[in-house]
Amino acid sequence: MSTVDLSTTPPAIEIADDTPTHHGYAPNKDAYLRRLKRIEGQVRGIARMVEEDKYCIDILTQVSAVTKALHAVSLGLVEEHIGHCVVGAASESDPVVRAEQIDIKVKEAADAIGRLLR
């Protein structure tokens, strides 16, 4: 994914139940879906390789490629979260709410990155 142009990405808008009116990845949703469908096809190909008793190292090579592709999607989503949700929280006018929202959004990002590193 390319770097998000924050000048054209609207800040996060929260409603009373903390449900965002849109997600940071929305402008790139189609690109994410294309990438995920491509990954899905790769996974099907790996299953076919196992069914056809292909050499284990060849299968592992394909698993590695899928893992790398999923990491790329994950990192793009983290970037979108930081560029949209965290920046949106930082634009909150009330300083107390702003500090709370920034803490929440940064913790969400840190937790997600932690899960990716496990």
Side-chain angles (χ1 to χ4, degrees):
M1 283 293 122
S2 62
T3 303
V4 177
D5 179 4
L6 298 177
S7 65
T8 61
T9 304
I13 302 169
E14 301 283 333
I15 55 178
D17 65 356
D18 282 341
T19 304
T21 58
H22 67 280
H23 300 289
Y25 62 83
N28 298 311
K29 181 178 178 178
D30 290 338
Y32 281 114
L33 288 172
R34 280 191 305 274
R35 291 179 85 174
L36 290 167
K37 287 178 184 186
R38 190 176 318 123
I39 292 166
E40 181 181 20
Q42 288 176 289
V43 171
R44 284 194 188 118
I46 293 169
R48 193 169 33 257
M49 291 175 77
V50 171
E51 288 172 357
E52 296 171 358
D53 295 319
K54 298 294 183 184
Y55 185 55
C56 54
I57 297 301
D58 294 340
I59 296 169
L60 289 170
T61 299
Q62 294 306 310
V63 168
S64 176
V66 167
T67 302
K68 183 176 179 183
L70 283 171
H71 280 157
V73 169
S74 298
L75 290 174
L77 289 169
V78 168
E79 180 182 348
E80 302 277 8
H81 176 72
I82 292 168
H84 180 266
C85 300
V86 176
V87 170
S91 67
E92 174 64 47
S93 59
D94 182 323
V96 173
V97 173
R98 179 175 51 240
E100 289 172 356
Q101 287 299 306
I102 289 171
D103 286 346
I104 289 168
K105 298 303 179 186
V106 169
K107 180 163 180 11
E108 287 175 346
D111 290 348
I113 292 167
R115 287 189 300 274
L116 289 171
L117 295 175
R118 287 188 202 129

